[in-house]
Amino acid sequence: MSSKRLLTTLAINGIEHELALEPRRTLLDALRHDLQLTGTKKVCDMGDCGACTVLVDGRAMYACLLLAVDCTDRQITTIEGLAQADELDPLQQAFIEADAFQCGFCTAGQIMSLKGLLNETPAPNDDQILRAVTGNLCRCGAYRNILKAGRLAADQVAHPEEARHADSTH
Amino acid sequence: MRPFDYVRTTTLDETCQLLGQDGDSSVRALAGGTDLLTLMKKEISVPTQLIDLKRLPDLPSGITSTAQGMTIGTLTTMTEIETNVQLQEKYPLLAEAAAVAATPQLRNMATIGGNLLQRPRCWYYRNQLVNCWLKGGDECQAQDGENQLHALFGGGPCYAVHPSDLAPALLALEATVQLRGPGGERMVPLAEFYALPEEKRRQETQLEKDELLLNIHLPGLPAGTRSTYLKAMDRKVWAFALVGVAAIVRLEEQKIVDARLVLSGVAPIPWRVTAAEQALVGATANEATFAEIAEFALADAQSLSHNAYKITLAKSLVRRALTMLTDEG
Ligand SMILES: Cc1cc2nc3c(=O)[nH]c(=O)nc-3n(C[C@H](O)[C@H](O)[C@H](O)COP(=O)(O)OP(=O)(O)OC[C@H]3O[C@@H](n4cnc5c(N)ncnc54)[C@H](O)[C@@H]3O)c2cc1C
Ligand code: SF4
Ligand code: FES
Ligand code: FES
């Protein structure tokens, strides 16, 4: 049997997109194939890796286990939505400074999970940072530096001037 | 995933009617989708129509206090259960069970209703090339196969274990589920709601095809009651329980006056060990008692070819939980 396409409005990074989608289209495939937003990665497609993490109404979720048609009245943020013009998000900057990736395949997901954490807990402790990325696998094992990046970004959000100064002394 | 239609309904009655409409159960309810979509991607579940429960205005969501205890709406997420302060205070074992389940992303998506109704993780069941007994086939491949993760109790014809961490905690709390069908509502104790799969009902619950889960009701606990949920996993996070234990204890002057013990990861449904509970009542809380109770709780366990290690794990967890809960410090 074939199913009807549904006219679906997705609000992604503050911009509304109107798409005609089959109900079986996941949010992940809609982002990557219909909207060419390929920053969100597809690895397992089963909720087993975290590479596809996006924010839905501010909370981290796996885009591979969401139907796109199910996201119509929700605000979606992807890795493409973090930088403001030429200015990287503090988390993106922190990942560069802390050398928090090797191959980079898990990175967008790690950053989105930490973004979800910082949205709710602006000054997290180490346990909270580690817990926030428990749903993101890193095959390269960059975990220690991901923790460092989380700390850096949290500092930067809390004290923008001091944190920047501390970084420049490395 | 096979194609399907996606529908939003406006009333509970309409939803139940739609669910019941089709002879080959091809209309399914979608909550968080974290279990259903994985089954659909592997074509183990092939609905032709999904009803989005999250848009159904009358389907309850959220945690509320009642005169005696608390009520949790089916659409409440696992994150809400993990972080609700009143629930943490009154029923620590339930908040703990949510906190050690799955991952932050999944807990943000997954509902309590879906968690209770999720299907087994048995690798034969999840393999689309195998038509095992639970999926309507003739035999159970796990019984004499790779059964490392399988049942110690209640096995046969199916030896899969129930994957939920919330279910054992709720069973220990003697929760009741409120169901709604075309003919109205019914209240079912969780102890009856979960039932070993049988020839004519190859599923782990008594939920009818045209029924919706509405609420989970938690009775109150006497002051001074302590509880915990402990879970043994292959790794520290993001794993299903190899074995878990939900334990509730009330102590008066070093004597145990009330005890409940439910094991997870050991049977096709959460497994209450009533005889061990009874043996605990009146006993003095000390290591010797707990060691005896742990032996007693696992006395009827029947291991398969590769899962005897679970007996040792379960005994340790029972001892550890009881020690923690009766520690005066
Ligand atoms: C990688 C991974 C790891 C996991 N680890 C754990 C773990 O450690 N511990 C644990 O407990 N769980 C774990 N889970 C399971 C997860 O918690 C469940 O998938 C989730 O709770 C299901 O909830 P949902 O809202 O997404 O349900 P859905 O997938 O939407 O639905 C599940 C089933 O319930 C039915 N349903 C849902 N709500 C209702 C209702 N109100 N009335 C009638 N029928 C309904 C649906 O029709 C479907 O059959 C894991 C899952 C994944 C993918
Ligand atoms: S244990 Fe149950 S689910 Fe697994 S193969 Fe046997 S019948 Fe199927
Ligand atoms: S691609 Fe979604 S969790 Fe792996
Ligand atoms: S940097 Fe390679 S998987 Fe994480």
Side-chain angles (χ1 to χ4, degrees), chain A residues 144-162:
Chain A
R144 288 188 157 273
N145 288 357
I146 291 169
L147 171 62
K148 264 194 218 158
R151 283 184 195 142
L152 263 181
D155 280 353
Q156 205 139 323
V157 170
H159 322 280
E161 292 315 312
E162 290 162 45

Side-chain angles (χ1 to χ4, degrees), chain A residues 9-24:
Chain A
T9 308
L10 294 178
I12 298 172
N13 304 326
I15 300 170
E16 292 204 344
H17 302 266
E18 203 155 300
L19 300 166
L21 295 176
E22 270 197 274
R24 63 173 160 168

Side-chain angles (χ1 to χ4, degrees), chain A residues 1 3-4 23-24 45-49 53 59-62 64-65 69-70 72-73 113 131 134-136, chain B residues 1 3-6 8 37-38 41-42 52 54-55 79 82 99 103-109 237-238:
Chain A
M1 83 160 257
S3 63
K4 285 193 298 266
R24 63 173 160 168
D45 209 25
M46 277 290 177
D48 285 322
C49 78
T53 303
R59 287 180 178 274
M61 298 191 187
Y62 295 145
C64 68
L65 294 184
V69 292
D70 196 2
T72 44
D73 40 16
S113 287
R131 208 170 146 65
T134 47
N136 295 82
Chain B
M1 243 187 302
F4 55 85
D5 287 326
Y6 170 88
R8 294 178 182 176
L37 291 184
T38 57
K41 285 180 189 212
K42 291 197 172 165
D52 189 357
K54 292 184 302 306
R55 317 287 165 155
T79 299
E82 174 191 359
T103 66
Q105 290 94 322
L106 287 164
R107 294 194 293 271
N108 283 338
M109 306 164 76
V237 292
W238 208 345

Side-chain angles (χ1 to χ4, degrees), chain A residues 9-109:
Chain A
T9 308
L10 294 178
I12 298 172
N13 304 326
I15 300 170
E16 292 204 344
H17 302 266
E18 203 155 300
L19 300 166
L21 295 176
E22 270 197 274
R24 63 173 160 168
R25 198 78 157 156
T26 60
L27 175 63
L28 179 58
D29 286 340
L31 289 171
R32 294 181 54 84
H33 299 295
D34 299 305
L35 296 165
Q36 281 73 51
L37 291 170
T38 53
T40 307
K41 300 294 181 243
K42 180 168 174 174
V43 179
C44 69
D45 209 25
M46 277 290 177
D48 285 322
C49 78
C52 65
T53 303
V54 298
L55 299 186
V56 179
D57 293 333
R59 287 180 178 274
M61 298 191 187
Y62 295 145
C64 68
L65 294 184
L66 284 167
L67 297 178
V69 292
D70 196 2
C71 295
T72 44
D73 40 16
R74 300 166 131 191
Q75 293 294 328
I76 292 150
T77 311
T78 69
I79 190 76
E80 288 90 347
L82 293 194
Q84 303 297 318
D86 283 343
E87 181 112 1
L88 291 181
D89 185 272
L91 266 168
Q92 293 172 307
Q93 194 61 43
F95 266 66
I96 296 170
E97 279 164 27
D99 197 14
F101 46 85
Q102 291 177 41
C103 77
F105 222 79
C106 70
T107 310

